[in-house]
Amino acid sequence: MDPRSSTGQPVNRRTTRMATADEQLRLMTRVARLYHEQGMRQAQIVEELHISQARVSRLLAQAAKVGIVRTIVVPPEGVFADLEETIASRYRLRDVVVVDVEGEGDEVIPALGAATAVYLETTLLEGDRLGISSWSATLLAAVEAMRSRPGKRSLEEVVQLMGGVGDPQVQIQATRLMGRLAETTGAEPVFMSAPGVVASPAVRDAILADPKVSSVADAWKHLTIAVVGIGSLEPSPLLRRSGNIFSLEDQERLRDLGAVGDICLHFFDENGTLLDTELNDRVIGIDPDAYRAVPRRIAVAGGDRKYAAINAAVSGGWVDVLITDLGIARRLAG
């Protein structure tokens, strides 16, 4: 027997289901408009429509699910979210920060430094052990821009990743970088009291045997974050003045092998493949395997002349967070 309405007429179940669905969509749209367009709180919608709080929440969730409400994020000027996501996906990076500046060398350093300072202030956690390369003008600018934050959870240690002894006038800057970062984060500074490059592997081994130096090398094994610059084959002015560089003959040999850049004076080719030379055994600094074992590796680099080095570093998996300028980012994104 067909079900009948209160008037005795047969009930069309299909018509009833359609009417119910239409009413659900109508109510869903009404709730969504009140909430998103008129700015009413859920409690006010409960009062307005005489429905339960749970139903209001459910209708808002359903409105988003079926496409009645569509959320669109519009990045403000100077924020390059699409570009950052494209680069992160292409090179399998954890994060990318694109800074709204273009140019060469000194033109991009202040902006990159400021962006790095903000990134570190936002992402550093209590108990982190941070290693930092000391011969980078960009990292020096970043540390100078960081703000002391009383009461903020502090790092455990700040560890120098490369030998720091060099020209006394330039050494002051490296020491200031370490000291300032330790002061800002409340961390214990761990200095590397040795030159960055020595004459032979035998000299390097002798220096690393010293307990004060070996204790720093042991600290590298426990880092949770590394913050580094990316060098090109041509040394930066700061690194050149420091005296912690390979000779012109060594640099020419690296060029012949296809070197395009370095991290902590470990050079790689255009694909990011480490060049296996005896020069690696003359560097007093974190070795490539220990560096790659650091869970989060942040590189800060920009300027047109560094494109090949930056591209190689991200292609070869040397970093998982990149902070760079807009010009480099556009080239990386292709």
Side-chain angles (χ1 to χ4, degrees):
M1 179 181 294
D2 293 335
R4 295 178 179 272
S5 68
S6 57
T7 62
Q9 299 298 317
V11 174
N12 187 318
R13 290 183 175 179
R14 182 172 181 275
T15 301
T16 300
R17 285 196 300 270
M18 290 176 63
T20 301
D22 288 346
E23 173 58 22
Q24 179 78 353
L25 288 172
R26 187 201 67 78
L27 185 58
M28 199 183 300
T29 303
R30 173 74 170 145
V31 169
R33 288 175 67 92
L34 289 173
Y35 185 79
H36 291 286
E37 293 183 356
Q38 298 185 28
M40 291 181 66
R41 297 191 298 272
Q42 290 192 29
Q44 292 175 300
I45 297 173
V46 168
E47 293 279 338
E48 178 80 11
L49 301 182
H50 302 285
I51 56 179
S52 70
Q53 175 84 45
R55 192 175 186 192
V56 169
S57 297
R58 189 164 59 250
L59 287 168
L60 287 171
Q62 290 173 337
K65 186 175 182 179
V66 302
I68 291 174
V69 174
R70 298 180 182 179
T71 302
I72 299 175
V73 178
V74 181
E77 185 176 350
V79 175
F80 306 96
D82 289 344
L83 189 56
E84 292 169 348
E85 290 170 8
T86 297
I87 296 169
S89 176
R90 174 170 296 181
Y91 297 98
R92 300 182 180 180
L93 302 177
R94 181 198 301 259
D95 201 4
V96 176
V97 177
V98 175
V99 184
D100 191 10
V101 64
E102 296 182 70
E104 188 53 79
D106 293 343
E107 300 171 13
V108 302
I109 286 175
L112 288 178
T116 303
V118 173
Y119 187 85
L120 293 177
E121 289 171 355
T122 304
T123 61
L124 294 180
L125 300 175
E126 181 183 14
D128 272 335
R129 295 173 182 269
L130 184 149
I132 188 165
S133 56
S134 53
W135 300 109
S136 167
T138 306
L139 294 185
L140 181 60
V143 171
E144 293 285 5
M146 289 181 69
R147 298 169 297 167
S148 297
R149 304 179 71 177
K152 183 174 176 60
R153 295 176 177 178
S154 66
L155 302 185
E156 191 72 23
E157 288 181 331
V158 171
V159 185
Q160 196 165 336
L161 292 179
M162 296 169 55
V165 175
D167 181 274
Q169 295 301 315
V170 184
Q171 173 63 30
I172 292 172
Q173 297 184 63
T175 303
R176 188 169 83 240
L177 183 154
M178 285 286 295
R180 169 68 178 165
L181 183 56
E183 177 187 3
T184 302
T185 60
E188 184 72 24
V190 179
F191 293 93
M192 170 56 80
S193 300
V197 178
V198 294
S200 70
V203 173
R204 174 182 180 268
D205 292 344
I207 292 175
L208 287 175
D210 183 279
K212 290 183 180 179
V213 176
S214 63
S215 66
V216 181
D218 185 64
W220 293 332
K221 301 174 185 176
H222 305 288
L223 297 175
T224 58
I225 302 172
V227 183
V228 299
I230 299 174
S232 60
L233 191 57
E234 180 68 21
S236 69
L238 180 62
L239 183 58
R240 190 183 299 112
R241 293 197 307 271
S242 77
N244 285 286
I245 59 172
F246 292 116
S247 68
L248 293 177
E249 292 78 11
D250 290 333
Q251 292 175 47
E252 194 60 38
R253 196 181 322 160
L254 287 165
R255 185 175 286 104
D256 291 341
L257 291 170
V260 298
D262 78 280
I263 286 179
C264 295
L265 292 181
H266 296 296
F267 285 84
F268 41 78
D269 65 17
E270 63 181 0
N271 299 313
T273 302
L274 177 68
L275 295 175
D276 185 15
T277 75
E278 61 88 21
L279 300 178
N280 288 322
D281 297 327
R282 290 167 48 198
V283 174
I284 297 181
I286 189 168
D287 68 77
D289 289 339
Y291 168 77
R292 286 179 177 273
V294 178
R296 193 150 62 104
R297 303 180 307 281
I298 303 169
V300 186
D304 295 337
R305 74 178 179 86
K306 285 197 174 182
Y307 170 73
I310 295 169
N311 181 59
V314 294
S315 297
W318 287 85
V319 303
D320 57 13
V321 176
L322 176 66
I323 302 174
T324 194
D325 65 80
L326 181 57
I328 293 292
R330 284 174 171 156
R331 294 177 70 179
L332 290 173

